[in-house]
Amino acid sequence: MSKVRVLIVLVILISSGGILLSNVCAKSPPDHVNIGAILAFNSTIGKVAKNAIEAAVDDVNSDPTILSGTNLNISMQDTKLSIGFLGIIDSLLLMEKDTAAIIGPQYSVMAHVISHIANEMQVPLLSFAASDPTLTSLQFPYFVRTTQSDLYQMSAVADIVDHFQWRDVIAIFIDDDHGRNGVAALGDKLAEKRGKISYKAALNPDNNNNVINNKEEINSALVKVALMESRVIVLHIYPSFGLEVLHIAQTLGMMGSGYVWIVTDWLTTALDSDPSLLASSSIMNDMQGVITLRMFTPDSRIKSNFESRWPKLAHQTSNNNEKGSLGLNIFGLYAYDTVWTLAYALDEFFSNGGTLTFSNDSILNTLRGDTLHLDTMGVFLNGSMLLQKILEVNRTGLTGRMVFSQDGNLMNPSYEIINVIGNGVRRIGFWSNSFGLHSGEQVPNHENSSEGLYGVIWPGQTTQTPRGWVFASNGRHLRIGVPLRVSYHEFVSRIEGSDMFGGYCIDVFTAALDLLPYPVPYKFIPFGDGKTNPLNSMLLQKVTTGNFDAVVGDITITTNRTKIVDFTQPYIESGLVVVAPIRKMKSNAWAFLRPFTPMMWLVTGMFFLAVGAVVWILERRLNDDFRGTPRRQFVTIIWFSFSTLFFAHRERTVSTLGRLVLIIWLFVVLILNSSYIASLTSILTVEQLSSPIKGIESLATSNERIGYLRGSFAENYLTDELNIHRSRLVPLNDPSEYEKALKDGAANGGVAAIIDERAYMELFLATRCEFGIVGQEFTKMGWGFAFPRDSPLAIDMSTAILKLSENGDLQRIHDKWLTRSACSSEGAKQGIDRLETKSFWGLFLLIGIACFIALLCHLIRMAYRFKRHYSSNNTNSNLEVEGSSSCFSRIKSFFLFVNEREEDDEKIKRRRKDNRVVAHEVDVSPLHNSNVSIHVENGA
C-alpha cells in the first residue's frame, strides 16, 4: 500500500513538473515578432517613412536593453499610390503571416478600410500619417494614431482666422475621407468662433495620376473660387495636388494682394522632403505670402543624432535617381517613433506573460482554396492586451513626449505657424491645444511667449492685413430690398417713372457707400404692393432666405430682428411717443399764482412767519425795534417776515444768533424768488399746451382706443410689453387717417391717441399744430440697414455711418428731408411745469435747522443768565430766610426776566458794584438795619 502511494506521488510530481516546464516554455519570448508596414513607396511621405522605419527596426534589433533578444521582423507592402483596393490586399497578405501589429497605412481612406480588418483580426494598427479625426472613434478600437490629428490642426487654422477677425473662409480639399472630415472639423471649430465656411471646392481624388484632368479640374474649381466674396482660402490637400493648385492660382492672379492662403501641413512636408523646391524661384513664386503649419517637435539630442544620420539613410533608398536628395520630414520622425513605441509595448507585453497566439477564424475556413489563402489568417488572441500596452507607453522620442489618450490620440499637440517669404520660410508663432496662438522662440508654454503672431508678409508682398473679402466679380449686383411705402415718402419713395429711389434713408445709404474703400455694385428692388405699407418683418425674412443681400429703409432695430439679421450702426434715433389732441391754456388774472403749487405757497408762507417769530425771540431783549405793545410786536413779526422777500426791512438785527438765522433765510428767499420769476416768465411768454392724456402711463391704464401704424412693431410692443388688449388697438395706414381718427376722438369711432415712432410723428406734426407729443419718449431705438448674419459689409457700413456723423453729413441729410416747423419743434408739455415743495425741501430743511439751533442756544443762554440773576437777588434781599419759592413762581419769574430788556455788560457791572456798596453800608449801621432792609427790598 505504501509503494502505491509513493508511485502516485511520483506520477503527480512528474506531471506537475511537465506542466510547469511547458508553461515556462510558453511564456519565454519568441525569437522574432512579425510586424507589417503598409506604405506608398513612391509618395512624398512614403519615401521618407520607409527609410525611417527600416532604420528604427535596425536600432531596436541592435539594442540589447529592449525585447530581451527578440527581433522585429518587418514586412513592408507597397500600395503604389493606391488608397483603396491594393491597400486592402496588402493588409490581407500581412495577416497571413501572423502579424502582431501593422504600421500604417499613411492614407486616411485606406485606414478606414483596414481598421475593419484590424478589428476582426484584433491586430493593432499604428498609423504615423493618417490624420483624419474620425479614425479615433469607438468604431475603430484597434486604430492608434502616432501622429497629430487634423482636429487640432483645424483648431489652429480656426484660431488664425479668428486672430485676424475674418469670418468667412473658402475650403479647397480632396473629396475623400481625409479631405471631407478635415474640412468638417474646420467648420466646427470656426462655428465656435462665429465663423463659417462660405464655399467648399472639392477636387476628385481619382485624378491624382491624370495630369490633364487634374489641371482642368483645378482650374475650373479656382475660377469658381475667384468669383466668391471671401478671400480667405484654406487648402487641405495632398502634396502631389497642392503645388499644382498654387501654381494655377498664381496664373489666375489669385496669389496677389487681398488674398489669404492658409495651407495645412502638407506644404511643409513637401518643402522638408524635397529641399530643391526652395531653390526653384518659379515654385517659390507660386507660394509667396502663404501661411502654413508644421507639427512642432522640440529640439533634443536624439533628434539631432538622427538628423545627422539621415543623409546616409536617404542615400540608401532604392531609387537611384534620388540618392542624397531626399529630405527628412515630420512624418519620418513619427514613423521612427512608431517603431520604438511598438517595441516598448511588445517588451511590456512579453514581460506580463503575453504570447503570440493566433487562432483561425471559423468564418474564413469557408474560403479554403482561395488564391489569397484567407483561411490561413489568424485572429491575434492577445491583440487587446498588446493594444493596451501600446496606449500605456510613455516615452520620449524624436518628436517629443509620446503619451496617448484613451481614444488613441497623442496628447499635448502643438504646431508651428510658418510664413513663406522669398526663397525660404519664417516661423511667426506657435499654436498649442493648451495656450492657443503664441509668438516667441520656444514652444507656446514658454514663459517668454506672448499671445498673437509676429508680422506676416501677405500675398502681394504687403504687411497690411487683408480685409478677407471683396464683392464678387461675377457681375451680380448687390440686391437691396426697399419697402414700397404709401406714406412718409420723405424717408423712402420711388421716383416716378423710374426704378430709382429717393428719401432720407436712401441718401444716408448712398453717402455711406461712397465712403467705403471699394466699389459696391447694387440694385434697389422694391418690396410691397404699393397700396399698403409692407411688413418690415417679412422684408427682413427675405434677407435670411437669400432673396435680398441687404435691406435699406425705415427699419427699426429690435431684439427679435437682431436674431435673424445683422444691423449697422443706427443712423437715426426714433423711439415710440404718444401723440394726442392738445389745447392752448388761456392766461387769466391769477396767472401769477401758477408758478407755485398750493402746497408750495402754504409751506413758503408758514416759513415766512416761523422765521419772523424766531428772529423776534432772538432780538426782543436786545433790540428796541422788537419791543412794545403786543399789537405792535405782532405787526413787527409780520412786517419783518415778508419784508425779507424784498430786502426792505427797516428793523435792524443786533444779536449774533438773529443775524445767523437771517443770513440763511435770505439765501433761501433768493432761491425762491429766482425760481418764481423764471417760472412766471415762462408761463406768461411761452405758449402752454395741455391734453387730458399725460403720457403712456395714463393711456395704458385707461380704456381709450389707441391708433398705430399698420405693420409697425408697435402693435406687438403694446400688447406684449404694456399688456394693452388688442381690441383697443386701431391700425391706421397714413397721416390722413391719423388726423381723421384724432379729430373724431374715441367717442366717435376714432382714437384718443396715436403711438408711433418719433421720426414719423415729427413729420406728422410739422403741419398739424392742433396735435402734439405728450409725455416722454418711452422706448430708445434706432433705424439701421440690415444685412445677412456675419456679413462683413455691415461692419464697414457702420464705420461709414460713424464717419458721416462725425463730419456733419448725417445732420445735413437730416435737415434736407426732415426739417421741422415751429409748432412741431416746440412740442406739447404734459402739463404746466409748476414748482413743487419737493424741489425746495433741502432749503426749507436748512432754514429749519438754523432756527432750531438758534432758539436752543438762546434758551440755554437765557436759562444761564436767569440762574445768575435769581441767585444774586436772593442773596442781596435775604430771601433765603423766607425759604425757596415755588416752581410756578420761578417759571413766572423766568418769563418776566425774558420779557425785560437786556442791558449791556457795563451797566450790569456798575449795578452790581452799587449793590455791594449799599450792602456794606447796611452792615456798618446796625441801628438802622431794619429801615435799610425795607428800603432795599422796595428798591428791588
Side-chain angles (χ1 to χ4, degrees), residues 500-513:
M500 301 178 64
F501 284 79
Y504 171 72
C505 301
I506 302 299
D507 281 6
V508 173
F509 178 75
T510 56
L513 285 182

Side-chain angles (χ1 to χ4, degrees), residues 732-804:
L732 303 171
N733 292 315
D734 52 50
S736 60
E737 292 188 11
Y738 279 10
E739 183 177 7
K740 183 178 185 301
L742 287 173
K743 288 183 176 179
D744 292 343
N748 298 321
V751 297
I754 289 176
I755 293 180
D756 207 344
E757 296 183 67
R758 176 177 287 275
Y760 298 136
M761 291 296 93
E762 287 177 347
L763 284 177
F764 174 76
L765 297 174
T767 55
R768 299 171 178 86
C769 296
E770 66 271 26
F771 310 115
I773 298 175
V774 296
Q776 302 296 324
E777 186 175 326
F778 56 93
T779 61
K780 294 295 182 181
M781 298 179 179
W783 293 355
F785 306 128
F787 292 90
R789 293 297 302 271
D790 301 321
S791 171
L793 185 58
I795 300 175
D796 290 350
M797 286 294 288
S798 294
T799 304
I801 290 173
L802 290 175
K803 290 181 180 179
L804 288 176

